[in-house]
Amino acid sequence: MTLARELGGLEFALIAIFFLFYCLYLYRILRARKSFRAKGGATLYKLILRTIYFGLFIIALLGPSFGEMKKEVKAVSKDIYICVDLSKSMDATDIKPSRLAKLKFELKQIVKSFNSDRIGLIVFTSDAFLQCPLTYDGNALNMFIETMSTSLISNSGTDFGPPLEMAITKLEDAEEGVPTAKKASKVIILVSDGEDFGEDTDEMVKEIKNQEVKLFTMGIGTESGSKIPAGYRFKRDKMGNDIITKLNPSSLKSLASVTGGEYFEISDKQNDINRLISSINKIEGELKGSKMADVSANKYYYFLAIALLLLGLDVILAVRVIKI
């Protein structure tokens, strides 16, 4: 027999209370006998009976299990690719401490919320690079998230096409050997603060719709915007003026609308990360595999039933504890 839990503070407290009150009960009985100068040993039977059913109550509370049986254990999860824009504008400080620093913190919340799902990471500007393939390893993901910076890849504009194409390709590769894989359990999260300057995004949108992959987009930044730090000064245009970067969510909203997904935002007025997590939670995962395992059932009710029966007998059966 195995127990679901060990004797803890609650159980020891109940045992102590039981013995304390029973000792007080015995003390009163013994005083009464002494007063009446009576004899009798029936109290011992009551003590044995009550100790037995109290012990059974404690065992039932600990969750005893015995008797092994075969049970199918299924592994169900989703595949999620997060595509992160690493253009220089992500260093803007209109969201403290910066757009990218804030995003890193929120991405770790996503990793924590979906620790039973496979998550991959793609970074992009005008090109896309695989930062981390699909994995269940949350610690590895957090490490890759922490290493993200705008200096990681070359910056020459923002193009949503390459990261979407790479995400779709990687999700398709992950389906190999899984004939029953459901497209509906595939998710792409596209995060950016600016406008899409690419030409292949429309083609990727059609592919996403055909594949029935869920696309969620997230804009990060503010409408008022801010300057872009560049060393000890700020990034400037060709005229020598400081560049002001503002959140431009139009392309992200359009992508979400066309593909049947949702648009979310992190700004100075709102933070939709919990709403994004809630939306992904509503998506049903796919069966990744199953195996038969030996399990033992919790049989607490046997001990509880016997304890209640003995408790009933204790109440019903009267015992003369003082014989005059």
Side-chain angles (χ1 to χ4, degrees):
M1 183 177 70
T2 59
L3 300 176
R5 51 183 291 187
E6 297 179 354
L7 280 171
L10 174 62
E11 290 76 24
F12 282 118
L14 291 174
I15 292 171
I17 292 171
F18 170 77
F19 281 109
L20 175 63
F21 280 98
Y22 211 88
C23 286
L24 290 174
Y25 167 75
L26 290 177
Y27 176 71
R28 291 184 61 190
I29 294 297
L30 292 174
R31 283 193 63 186
R33 283 180 177 175
K34 187 176 180 180
S35 298
F36 288 99
R37 297 179 180 178
K39 298 180 180 181
T43 306
L44 177 63
Y45 303 115
K46 279 284 188 178
L47 175 60
I48 295 173
L49 177 64
R50 290 168 183 173
T51 302
I52 290 173
Y53 69 68
F54 179 80
L56 291 173
F57 278 129
I58 293 295
I59 294 174
L61 186 63
L62 296 177
S65 300
F66 52 87
E68 291 188 352
M69 58 181 291
K70 292 286 186 180
K71 185 176 181 180
E72 184 180 16
V73 180
K74 297 181 179 180
V76 178
S77 66
K78 298 180 281 288
D79 288 341
I80 305 170
Y81 260 109
I82 305 173
C83 304
V84 180
D85 182 2
L86 288 185
S87 57
K88 286 295 184 183
S89 56
M90 289 293 285
D91 287 330
T93 57
D94 50 349
I95 296 179
K96 302 300 181 183
S98 72
R99 294 175 182 177
L100 184 57
K102 175 65 174 175
L103 179 60
K104 287 180 181 181
F105 175 79
E106 300 299 351
L107 290 182
K108 290 176 183 178
Q109 296 295 105
I110 293 177
V111 172
K112 182 179 179 181
S113 298
F114 300 103
N115 54 16
S116 61
D117 298 313
R118 294 197 299 180
I119 302 177
L121 189 63
I122 295 173
V123 295
F124 71 95
T125 53
S126 57
D127 294 312
F129 299 90
L130 182 65
Q131 181 81 340
C132 180
L134 290 172
T135 180
Y136 291 107
D137 191 341
N139 292 328
L141 272 166
N142 287 332
M143 182 186 68
F144 282 113
I145 289 171
E146 197 58 41
T147 59
M148 289 192 307
S149 72
T150 56
S151 59
L152 198 62
I153 55 179
S154 60
N155 281 267
S156 56
T158 303
D159 188 348
F160 294 161
L164 293 178
E165 181 180 9
M166 179 176 287
I168 293 171
T169 301
K170 295 300 180 182
L171 288 172
E172 287 178 345
D173 292 344
E175 292 178 2
E176 293 182 2
V178 188
T180 59
K182 298 186 296 183
K183 307 293 184 182
S185 66
K186 311 296 183 184
V187 179
I188 298 175
I189 305 172
L190 181 68
V191 186
S192 179
D193 61 357
E195 189 174 352
D196 175 24
F197 296 101
E199 299 178 354
D200 300 326
T201 304
D202 290 341
E203 183 179 343
M204 290 302 101
V205 167
K206 292 179 182 178
E207 186 67 20
I208 289 172
K209 292 178 69 175
N210 291 337
Q211 294 281 351
E212 297 180 354
V213 175
K214 273 290 185 182
L215 174 62
F216 297 109
T217 61
M218 172 167 283
I220 182 165
T222 63
E223 294 179 0
S224 57
S226 73
K227 299 176 183 179
I228 304 173
Y232 294 102
R233 56 177 188 171
F234 298 102
K235 192 174 178 63
R236 297 176 178 176
D237 58 21
K238 295 179 180 180
M239 303 297 293
N241 299 316
D242 290 336
I243 297 175
I244 303 296
T245 174
K246 300 179 180 180
L247 173 63
N248 191 338
S250 56
S251 298
L252 294 169
K253 288 181 177 180
S254 176
L255 280 175
S257 176
V258 171
T259 58
E262 293 181 69
Y263 170 77
F264 304 90
E265 190 169 296
I266 298 176
S267 67
D268 55 342
K269 298 178 180 178
Q270 66 188 83
N271 186 341
D272 291 336
I273 198 69
N274 288 331
R275 196 163 63 88
L276 170 62
I277 291 172
S278 177
S279 295
I280 298 175
N281 270 326
K282 294 176 183 177
I283 299 173
E284 184 181 356
E286 69 180 69
L287 179 64
K288 299 294 184 180
S290 63
K291 63 179 182 179
M292 300 302 292
D294 293 326
V295 297
S296 54
N298 190 340
K299 302 295 178 58
Y300 74 94
Y301 43 85
Y302 290 143
F303 297 89
L304 182 61
I306 296 173
L308 290 174
L309 178 62
L310 294 179
L311 175 62
L313 289 174
D314 185 23
V315 173
I316 294 172
L317 299 178
V319 176
R320 183 182 296 174
V321 294
I322 298 176
K323 187 182 293 184
I324 301 175

